Amino acid sequence: MAFPGSYLLRLVLALAGGALCVLAFAPFSLEWVAPLSLALLFFLWMEETPGRAFWLGWSWGAGCMGFGVFWLHNSIAQFGGLNLPLAVFITLVFALFLALFPGLAGWVANRLARGRLPRLLLAYPASWVLLEWSRSWLLTGFPWLSLGYSQIDSVLAGYAPVLGVYGVSLVTALMGSSLLLWRTPWVLLLPLLGLGGWVLQKVPWTSEAGAPFTASLVQASIPQQQKWLSSQLRPTLEFYVSETEKLEHSRLTVWPETAVPAFANKVEAAFLQPLHERLQDQGRDLLVGIPVREKDGRYYNSLLALGTSGRGRYDKRHLVPFGEFMPFARWLQPLVRMLAIPMSSFSAGDAGEQPLLKLAGYPAGVSICYEDAFPAESVQALPEAAFLLNASNDAWFGNSLAPHQHLEMARMRALENGRYMLRATNTGISAIVDDKGRLLKVLSWGERGVISAPVRPMAGSTPWALGGNGPLLLILFLMLLGAYLRSPGGAPSRP
């Protein structure tokens, strides 16, 4: 049965449904909103042509992305040197581009399948997740607000170590579909999927690999506008060092991304080497965020390991477009000049040959900034890594939804891989997360201080860590094939 009323009303309802879906994600964390929001969209898609389904999906995406990533305008305006109206306009254009993905999901599903059951149980969930996964890597990728992240605190999170975050998205979409089948036996999918997630949460996918050690994270909470001022260098270093010296009980201390606002070669002799020797004498390790400039002029967003486990270095591999590098710079020179973002010409670290850093006596899988938003990159450190670590600086986005959403993704990486996650940030939210994705210690946004907690090194691999997205993509392909074959007449819908 088609939705009563005009098509314009349906577009407005889709827009509202997408906007409300933002409430499913942190900091609101109303996870039950996600399947309800998808149920509304799937209901609106039913019995529509592929073209009209596309615009309904696009409208839903405009609501979700428009509200969910509106925080981008803060960094564009404040640090790109643009006036606020232009920054808002650029952000909205970006959100409308991201809205194309749920639009394409509606077009694909309604083009491929006919009939209520083939669409609701197969085509809609599969096409949704396939396009969500595509958004995570196309044009360097933007995985924010992938539906599975909203379930990090629900029973559906139990599917993450088996199928990853996009598998959790698939189960969430199936929950939304089953809500529309409440008059049929298929409504039993609701309790069955929930029960399956609960059972999977009880499985110990990984095991302890050694004695726990105490780790500490230092959060200086320095505003981004002040971070790179030359007058700020000395007080910044004094704060980090003084707080670190107090942590005699900590085997590992972590400073956030670019905690030292100077190139490593400028502070090597006077600061880094003496600090390294002092930590060696104390039997401790320190991980420092600092930019590194090579002799050939290239510079990297890096993490340096100092202390008793030896010196080591990790260079960020997945750079932020328009923030750390300018894509298609040859054709976008006017934009390069317009967006006067400091330190925006980084080189990318080697994607395949950087050895794992040894910290607290164990190999660690480290990442910088939003690298922890990409599941396939975090899993590359396994099974060798005994724990995961992310150093970030979310000060670019102010006190917005961004730090909360970013922490939500870091928690999902811990759960997918069965590893503790240490997340140190400049202005927050810093957190120590256990192997089940649970928060052990948290430093709120804008808070200056230190948190410490025991960390258990882990060994072994989850099913997700072993297979990656391959099994899920096979499931999606079979679902779409089944939707086509099960459609009345076995033919796609008219355009």
Side-chain angles (χ1 to χ4, degrees):
M1 184 178 90
F3 194 90
S6 69
Y7 184 61
L8 178 60
L9 174 60
R10 301 183 202 187
L11 291 171
V12 172
L13 284 172
L15 180 74
L20 287 173
C21 193
V22 177
L23 297 177
F25 298 88
F28 313 105
S29 301
L30 302 176
E31 63 267 6
W32 52 270
V33 173
L36 286 178
S37 177
L38 274 197
L40 172 62
L41 179 61
F42 292 170
F43 182 60
L44 295 173
W45 275 349
M46 290 299 298
E47 299 187 29
E48 286 288 3
T49 64
R52 286 163 66 100
F54 169 84
W55 289 112
L56 287 167
W58 181 84
S59 185
W60 187 98
C64 182
M65 295 299 168
F67 285 91
V69 302
F70 187 67
W71 41 264
L72 280 169
H73 82 279
N74 183 74
S75 59
I76 296 174
Q78 246 185 334
F79 310 113
L82 303 186
N83 60 61
L84 184 60
L86 183 56
V88 170
F89 174 76
I90 292 174
T91 302
L92 291 178
V93 169
F94 182 62
L96 295 180
F97 166 75
L98 296 175
L100 294 174
F101 289 90
L104 286 171
W107 185 89
V108 168
N110 278 23
R111 184 77 179 88
L112 193 69
R114 287 179 176 175
R116 184 176 178 83
L117 287 179
R119 283 184 173 177
L120 284 175
L121 293 178
L122 297 171
Y124 288 170
S127 63
W128 180 273
V129 177
L130 184 63
L131 269 298
E132 188 177 82
W133 169 76
S134 300
R135 176 165 62 86
S136 74
W137 55 263
L138 189 66
L139 298 177
T140 77
F142 190 81
W144 250 256
L145 299 182
S146 295
L147 210 63
Y149 290 117
S150 68
Q151 304 303 307
I152 186 64
D153 290 314
S154 81
V155 293
L156 300 188
Y159 292 94
V162 181
L163 292 172
V165 65
Y166 301 110
V168 181
S169 292
L170 177 61
V171 177
T172 306
L174 285 168
M175 297 280 276
S177 292
S178 60
L179 287 171
L180 299 178
L181 297 168
W182 63 277
R183 290 186 176 181
T184 74
W186 289 106
V187 73
L188 293 176
L189 277 175
L190 279 169
L192 289 176
L193 290 172
L195 178 62
W198 180 80
V199 170
L200 290 172
Q201 282 183 322
K202 307 301 179 182
V203 178
W205 299 109
T206 55
S207 58
E208 293 186 33
F213 62 89
T214 300
S216 300
L217 313 179
V218 183
Q219 182 170 296
S221 196
I222 300 170
Q224 190 64 26
Q225 300 94 321
Q226 301 176 18
K227 185 175 177 65
W228 294 99
L229 297 177
S230 57
S231 59
Q232 188 67 38
L233 176 60
R234 187 179 183 85
T236 294
L237 298 183
E238 288 177 347
F239 172 79
Y240 279 116
V241 171
S242 66
E243 292 299 316
T244 301
E245 291 291 348
K246 299 174 186 176
L247 300 170
E248 296 179 359
H249 63 288
S250 287
R251 181 69 174 79
L252 171 64
T253 302
V254 184
W255 298 357
E257 177 188 11
T258 58
V260 179
F263 284 112
N265 64 303
K266 296 294 185 181
V267 294
E268 171 64 34
F271 181 72
L272 293 176
Q273 185 59 29
L275 182 59
H276 169 62
E277 293 171 358
R278 191 157 67 250
L279 290 164
Q280 281 186 313
D281 293 339
Q282 298 169 352
R284 302 164 57 196
D285 288 328
L286 172 68
L287 191 65
V288 178
I290 187 171
V292 173
R293 182 163 53 195
E294 300 287 11
K295 293 180 180 179
D296 60 7
R298 291 181 300 169
Y299 55 90
Y300 298 87
N301 189 350
S302 303
L303 293 173
L304 295 184
L306 308 175
T308 191
S309 293
R311 295 198 64 161
R313 170 178 155 188
Y314 169 79
D315 299 327
K316 187 178 181 184
R317 299 170 296 173
H318 197 140
L319 301 180
V320 180
F322 303 103
E324 292 175 316
F325 82 104
M326 184 62 63
F328 313 113
R330 180 178 176 183
W331 297 278
L332 296 177
Q333 282 303 320
L335 190 58
V336 173
R337 291 189 292 268
M338 185 186 301
L339 295 175
I341 300 175
M343 304 290 289
S344 57
S345 298
F346 282 103
S347 296
D350 193 304
E353 297 185 9
Q354 297 192 66
L356 298 185
L357 297 183
K358 194 172 184 181
L359 299 167
Y362 296 96
V366 303
S367 59
I368 298 176
C369 190
Y370 85 149
E371 285 184 318
D372 65 342
F374 299 91
E377 296 183 15
S378 295
V379 77
Q380 291 177 8
L382 269 64
E384 291 82 6
F387 61 97
L388 302 176
L389 189 151
N390 176 256
S392 189
N393 179 24
D394 292 337
W396 293 98
F397 310 112
N399 188 12
S400 65
L401 300 182
H404 301 274
Q405 294 171 359
H406 196 176
L407 175 59
E408 197 168 52
M409 290 187 281
R411 294 176 62 194
M412 185 62 75
R413 296 294 84 79
L415 178 59
E416 285 174 340
N417 296 295
R419 297 292 193 275
Y420 277 61
M421 167 68 83
L422 311 181
R423 184 166 188 270
T425 71
N426 174 27
T427 55
I429 305 168
S430 298
I432 299 176
V433 182
D434 74 5
D435 58 307
K436 297 294 185 181
R438 297 171 297 203
L439 293 169
L440 300 180
K441 288 289 183 69
V442 176
L443 264 175
S444 301
W445 193 93
E447 186 177 352
R448 186 175 240 211
V450 178
I451 52 174
S452 302
V455 172
R456 298 182 183 276
M458 307 298 290
S461 296
T462 63
W464 148 253
L466 291 172
N469 286 320
L472 176 65
L473 293 175
L474 177 60
I475 292 171
L476 298 180
F477 170 76
L478 293 176
M479 289 177 70
L480 291 173
L481 179 63
Y484 176 80
L485 297 177
R486 294 283 296 176
S487 296
S493 303
R494 60 189 174 85

